Amino acid sequence: MMDIRSGRGGAWPDLSVRVWAPELMDAPDCDTVQLLRTLAQFTWINRVVSRYRTLLTRTVLRDMQRDPGREYHLVDLGAGGCDIPVWLLTRSRRLGLRLRVTALDLDPRTVAWAVQCHGRQPGLTVVQAGAAELARFGPVDYVFANHFLHHLPDVKTIRDVMAKVQAASVRGYVISDIRRSRHAYVGVTVLNGLFFRRSFALADGQLSVRKSFTFGEMRAFLPPGDPVARVVALVPSRLAIVGGAAFESVSFSA
């Protein structure tokens, strides 16, 4: 029987305080087979829980439709296996919109796997680079990231990255992550434990929840130079920083 608890004596982890710890898949010498299996599983995990389709439809795609005759450029930070950029590019084409996506990731194995799987995807460029190098790709229309902030090592780094994101994005940005809660922890444990085995999905998923943020913690990361930046909450257990003039009137109430 799967135990959804962890810690000494089987106690629930303390979710009142954020944990700062590296995940297994972030280690440069982690098992490559398990890493690539985890990346493949993220396609389904993201589809089920991350709400990226709602976020990108109501922000990026809706904004592009205001002026469908021009080409747009989006940078995806920590893009991993590129399942989200591939969906966004496919959806853009179906809507008659022109979009280029530059997908950044620091792990050379992840980049090589993404190129192998999606290197022929029209409009997609995969680059081994991190948020510190964002300025070299900008200015761009949009910056997006999913499950990225909680991988950063400290508050100062998060704030520095958010400042770079705001500076690089001409129209808007969406930075999505997990909302730390018992519901999120149980959900990750059940979903990943039952369906995503022989990978880092379960252990890293549980740790990701413990490393993620409350609403108030995410608000502390809003770039001070952007008066329209705000944190939005979505079910299940999602938080996103949405900013930029083009996204000022976007609503997520429904």
Side-chain angles (χ1 to χ4, degrees):
M1 180 180 295
M2 179 172 53
D3 189 351
I4 61 176
R5 302 169 298 176
S6 70
R8 183 174 298 175
W12 283 92
D14 182 4
L15 297 174
S16 66
V17 179
R18 183 170 187 259
V19 170
W20 298 90
E23 295 176 30
L24 295 173
M25 67 180 298
D26 289 337
D29 59 349
C30 72
D31 182 80
T32 299
V33 172
Q34 289 196 68
L35 172 65
L36 300 185
R37 186 177 293 124
T38 305
L39 293 174
Q41 292 172 352
F42 276 161
T43 299
W44 301 102
I45 294 171
N46 285 335
R47 180 69 182 92
V48 172
V49 303
S50 72
R51 298 297 304 276
Y52 67 85
R53 297 189 180 197
T54 296
L55 286 165
L56 291 171
T57 297
R58 296 189 187 183
T59 55
V60 172
L61 292 174
R62 189 169 295 173
D63 182 61
M64 290 170 63
Q65 288 175 309
R66 294 172 181 164
D67 185 5
R70 58 161 289 195
E71 182 180 75
Y72 297 84
H73 185 196
L74 177 144
V75 167
D76 186 345
L77 297 176
C82 290
D83 55 300
I84 297 177
V86 167
W87 174 84
L88 182 59
L89 287 164
T90 302
R91 184 61 181 159
S92 297
R93 287 194 297 272
R94 289 176 179 172
L95 293 172
L97 304 170
R98 293 189 297 149
L99 176 67
R100 294 186 295 117
V101 174
T102 302
L104 309 184
D105 202 283
L106 278 174
D107 192 310
R109 298 168 300 173
T110 297
V111 169
W113 189 83
V115 170
Q116 178 182 338
C117 294
H118 305 296
R120 296 185 180 182
Q121 176 70 218
L124 177 64
T125 302
V126 186
V127 182
Q128 184 183 344
E133 302 170 79
L134 184 56
R136 85 181 233 221
F137 302 97
V140 299
D141 294 294
Y142 314 106
V143 176
F144 173 77
N146 179 64
H147 292 174
F148 178 73
L149 285 190
H150 77 257
H151 287 272
L152 300 178
D154 51 56
V155 168
K156 181 182 183 302
T157 303
I158 293 175
R159 288 177 173 159
D160 288 347
V161 166
M162 288 306 306
K164 289 180 171 64
V165 165
Q166 194 233 335
S169 54
V170 174
R171 303 189 63 79
Y173 52 91
V174 179
I175 310 298
S176 176
D177 219 303
I178 306 165
R179 186 172 193 167
R180 192 172 73 248
S181 68
R182 179 170 288 193
H183 290 99
Y185 190 86
V186 171
V188 161
T189 302
V190 173
L191 177 69
N192 294 4
L194 289 176
F195 300 106
F196 302 109
R197 298 175 178 273
R198 296 186 300 151
S199 72
F200 300 126
L202 177 57
D204 278 0
Q206 290 176 322
L207 183 55
S208 290
V209 173
R210 300 181 68 188
K211 293 171 62 178
S212 60
F213 311 99
T214 63
F215 193 94
E217 288 167 350
M218 279 286 262
R219 281 184 55 85
F221 304 144
L222 295 177
D226 185 354
V228 306
R230 71 274 192 200
V231 177
V232 300
L234 295 90
V235 176
S237 300
R238 305 299 305 173
L239 294 174
I241 295 176
V242 178
F247 300 157
E248 181 176 6
S249 62
V250 174
S251 172
F252 292 91
S253 58

